[in-house]
Amino acid sequence: MLLNHWTHERKQIEFNSETGLAKTINLNNAKNADKPCFGFAHSEKKIFGSRINFAIYRENDNIIFSAGNKNWNTSDSGIEFKHSQPFPFISKFQVIENGVCTFSILYSHIARALYSIIDVTYDQIDRDADFYLEFVSENLLDKEWRAMVIEKWDSIAT
């Protein structure tokens, strides 16, 4: 599936939800705003590990979240997304199903954190762009945000 890149309007991501693999496609011009939006993709590198690709997309009337080759229908009851910063410059993101953690990543963001301190204009818009997984945890289960996605995004053909 072809998704928007989370932070670059001149890039799109070809994301495979079965394998978790992603390929970046560089565009000559900014993405055409008239083309349908199916969702967004991003990646983070685990501390002491490999890079993991993430995606949020609409499939019929469901909003799906993918972490690598794991997928969750965010309409399912008992699902939670948690983001925390247990240490300076380190974040932890978890997917919790019925009280059990089924996915977790610990990742570093020292450059982003330092930039946020230096940039006097740094605000919530910048933070949302810098912290995809934090945005996911804060918005993916929000009823108003979900209604906007169902209204504005096109569905991936299944």
Side-chain angles (χ1 to χ4, degrees):
M1 70 185 79
L2 194 58
L3 303 173
N4 294 336
H5 188 283
W6 183 244
T7 57
H8 298 283
E9 63 181 30
R10 290 181 182 237
K11 293 181 181 180
Q12 288 190 306
I13 305 294
E14 187 177 312
F15 181 78
N16 184 320
S17 62
E18 292 179 16
T19 65
L21 297 176
K23 176 184 171 188
T24 301
I25 300 168
N26 292 310
L27 305 173
N28 291 330
N29 299 308
K31 190 181 77 57
N32 183 345
D34 294 332
K35 286 189 176 180
C37 174
F38 297 106
F40 289 87
H42 187 64
S43 66
E44 290 289 353
K45 186 179 180 308
K46 294 189 294 187
I47 292 179
F48 310 118
S50 59
R51 183 163 289 283
I52 296 178
N53 298 306
F54 298 95
I56 306 168
Y57 54 94
R58 181 176 162 208
E59 186 177 81
N60 301 315
D61 284 335
N62 298 308
I63 300 166
I64 307 299
F65 174 73
S66 294
N69 63 352
K70 296 182 178 182
N71 304 290
W72 293 269
N73 181 340
T74 62
S75 299
D76 291 347
S77 63
I79 193 163
E80 298 174 66
F81 300 95
K82 291 187 178 181
H83 187 273
S84 61
Q85 292 184 307
F87 308 104
F89 311 117
I90 294 176
S91 286
K92 183 178 186 177
F93 175 79
Q94 297 173 294
V95 178
I96 299 174
E97 296 178 88
N98 301 312
V100 177
C101 180
T102 56
F103 176 83
S104 182
I105 180 175
L106 198 61
Y107 63 99
S108 174
H109 48 76
I110 192 166
R112 290 174 270 187
L114 291 174
Y115 184 74
S116 72
I117 294 168
I118 296 168
D119 183 358
V120 296
T121 65
Y122 195 88
D123 60 10
Q124 188 61 43
I125 294 171
D126 296 310
R127 185 157 182 93
D128 288 346
D130 285 347
F131 293 92
Y132 176 85
L133 295 174
E134 181 178 63
F135 180 88
V136 165
S137 69
E138 292 175 352
N139 294 284
L140 205 51
L141 300 179
D142 179 78
K143 289 179 182 178
E144 289 180 23
W145 188 84
R146 295 173 64 77
M148 180 278 303
V149 167
I150 296 297
E151 177 186 338
K152 303 279 185 191
W153 295 6
D154 277 4
S155 177
I156 298 291
T158 56

